[in-house]
Amino acid sequence: MMGVEHIHALGALAGCEVVALCDPHHESLDRAGAALASSPPPIGAGSSRGTSVARFNSVDDLVATCDFDVAVVATPNFTHRAVLEPLLHSGAHVLVEKPLCTTVSDCREVIALEQATHVRGRVVWVGLEYRFMAPTMRLLEHSRNGELGRLRMVAIREHRFPFLQKVGDWNRFSCNTGGTLVEKCCHFFDLMRLILGSEPTRVFASGAQDVNHLDEMYDGKVPDIIDNALVIVDFASGARASLDLCMFAEATKNEQEISVVGDLGKVEALVTEGVVRTGLRANGWFQCEEDRIGHGDVPASVLQHGAHHGSSWRQHMAMQSAIRKGAPATVTTHDGLMSVAMGEAAHRSIMLGRPVLMSEILAP
Ligand SMILES: NC(=O)c1ccc[n+]([C@@H]2O[C@H](COP(=O)([O-])OP(=O)(O)OC[C@H]3O[C@@H](n4cnc5c(N)ncnc54)[C@H](O)[C@@H]3O)[C@@H](O)[C@H]2O)c1
């Protein structure tokens, strides 16, 4: 799924051409090839896509025989660590889908390898692309420019449909995904850190698998992925954040709603509708400005094919710009690690029934 979204996003990126596809699953390779063939020709070139693209079944073969500048890793979460190994050794720039890995210890190993294989100007970027949704970007501007005063609370609500079907049903088991609060919610933990400009200190969560996938069976096993949770996070700045996740809430207008409150005012983003509201306490009740920003400048070909309001395309533009300028990644492997660590802390809190200190999770 995500590989195809990336292909369509890259198709709308000037100066970029997909030169190879890699997947051990033939049907996925065919689907990716079809997506590539249906994309418009590379911007600035005249040829059609998808005909001369090399195909590989293993990343080792890809690295051994193919000449490429950037690799995009959109494989199941539990494979990220192994897939990244040859790619990091190759010296190519890498965008790896979230979560960076399924555990903090795997994230640390990847970061150690990134450092050991350091190449000047090489960009390693984690695909936490909710940062690049137009309403989220606007919310970040309002949160960080001082107009809201000192930031005190962040509330994020995601009410949505259940997890989709994946190739080989890997996302039905926490050992493959890292658990719902790592797999899905790393996006929101990343946003909390970014909005507040502070680090989490303590996480308290309650959650369960109450409704979804209980009637499914894979190799004799029932899925073990939670489908609803409430998570509270304390930050070093004194701010607190909450996440309200429900994955059996199809009857929802805005899949994500994000609210940030400072001592002077508030901003909220209704992501699906593309609405951002801001207001200052000094102006009193109901004095909010409502901006219907939609999803910004995203090309129609991208919006049509992506499930993330064009954020993958914006993310690729940001990464391309960093590569060209020799600038570091905006979304680093450290960001990837922290978003996984917060999810891991939330899962541990549910298991133990008590708050978990981030220092417990991040201890060497
Ligand atoms: N950023 C987002 O919002 C977002 C949304 C969905 C998925 N994702 C992430 O994207 C990644 C892929 O998810 P998906 O939904 O596309 O899953 P998917 O099951 O639809 O596709 C994964 C593909 O990877 C292939 N694969 C498995 N092992 C491989 C290997 N060693 N080398 C090459 N290919 C391999 C599979 O055959 C499959 O075709 C996951 O990490 C997932 O968490 C991110």
Side-chain angles (χ1 to χ4, degrees):
M1 176 202 142
M2 220 33 215
V4 167
E5 179 167 321
H6 282 295
I7 286 169
H8 287 294
L10 292 168
L13 199 68
C16 159
E17 187 162 10
V18 176
V19 294
L21 300 170
C22 175
D23 198 307
H25 188 66
H26 290 283
E27 284 172 26
S28 295
L29 271 183
D30 287 345
R31 208 171 310 139
L36 200 49
S38 73
S39 295
I43 295 173
S47 61
S48 66
R49 284 178 184 270
T51 43
S52 61
V53 169
R55 292 183 175 207
F56 297 90
N57 296 126
S58 95
V59 67
D60 289 320
D61 292 347
L62 169 87
V63 167
T65 52
C66 187
D67 189 18
F68 59 94
D69 299 317
V70 183
V72 177
V73 178
T75 63
N77 304 353
F78 68 96
T79 66
H80 288 183
R81 197 187 113 188
V83 168
L84 283 170
E85 212 171 301
L87 292 173
L88 289 174
H89 279 292
S90 79
H93 306 285
V94 179
L95 186 153
V96 54
E97 262 305 336
K98 65 79 207 163
L100 174 56
C101 294
T102 55
T103 63
V104 166
S105 72
D106 278 4
C107 290
R108 283 192 164 133
E109 288 198 18
V110 165
I111 290 173
L113 186 60
E114 179 190 4
Q115 288 163 355
T117 59
H118 173 74
V119 179
R120 199 179 152 83
R122 192 253 312 264
V123 171
V124 182
W125 188 291
V126 181
L128 288 160
E129 94 277 342
Y130 281 42
R131 292 181 179 212
F132 297 94
M133 290 175 178
T136 315
M137 288 167 73
R138 182 67 64 82
L139 174 130
L140 282 163
E141 277 168 37
H142 285 292
S143 305
R144 296 192 299 197
N145 69 9
E147 70 189 69
L148 305 180
R150 183 166 168 193
L151 301 183
R152 293 296 188 175
M153 293 188 82
V154 175
I156 301 182
R157 182 165 86 169
E158 180 168 79
H159 280 198
R160 55 162 274 178
F161 48 88
F163 280 117
L164 300 172
Q165 214 75 36
K166 303 286 168 173
V167 177
D169 304 307
W170 62 269
N171 67 343
R172 292 310 196 243
F173 295 95
S174 295
C175 60
N176 296 334
T177 66
T180 302
L181 298 173
V182 169
E183 143 74 5
K184 171 93 278 287
C185 302
C186 56
H187 282 302
F188 305 123
F189 296 134
D190 178 60
L191 285 178
M192 288 174 186
R193 288 179 64 240
L194 190 63
I195 291 166
L196 292 170
S198 180
E199 292 298 347
T201 55
R202 191 170 67 150
V203 177
F204 189 27
S206 170
Q209 182 185 6
D210 286 327
V211 177
N212 294 344
H213 316 302
L214 292 167
D215 55 354
E216 297 174 14
M217 186 86 88
Y218 302 90
D219 294 331
K221 290 187 200 145
V222 176
D224 67 350
I225 41 175
I226 69 171
D227 56 25
N228 71 104
L230 295 171
V231 184
I232 297 170
V233 186
D234 288 333
F235 279 81
S237 67
R240 45 187 64 87
S242 70
L243 171 67
D244 163 354
L245 174 76
C246 181
M247 298 191 67
F248 43 89
E250 288 89 341
T252 298
K253 189 164 184 185
N254 279 287
E255 199 174 313
Q256 296 93 20
E257 296 185 4
I258 307 170
S259 151
V260 181
V261 191
D263 48 16
L264 299 181
K266 167 173 170 170
V267 56
E268 67 185 342
L270 310 178
V271 173
T272 309
E273 285 178 277
V275 169
V276 176
R277 293 195 196 116
T278 48
L280 295 180
R281 295 177 69 201
N283 296 336
W285 284 91
F286 304 118
Q287 298 303 308
C288 290
E289 278 184 30
E290 184 166 295
D291 229 353
R292 294 199 160 262
I293 59 172
H295 297 290
D297 50 354
V298 183
S301 64
V302 172
L303 271 185
Q304 190 186 340
H305 292 289
H308 300 100
H309 313 301
S311 54
S312 297
W313 170 73
R314 269 201 209 91
Q315 177 179 241
H316 280 298
M317 289 213 299
M319 183 174 174
Q320 186 185 52
S321 162
I323 291 170
R324 285 182 170 161
K325 289 183 189 149
T330 307
V331 196
T332 62
T333 47
H334 177 70
D335 295 323
L337 162 78
M338 288 304 296
S339 63
V340 168
M342 292 169 77
E344 204 169 297
H347 275 295
R348 192 181 292 185
S349 173
I350 291 171
M351 190 178 69
L352 300 177
R354 65 160 173 85
V356 167
L357 297 177
M358 286 305 294
S359 55
E360 295 175 53
I361 299 292
L362 293 171

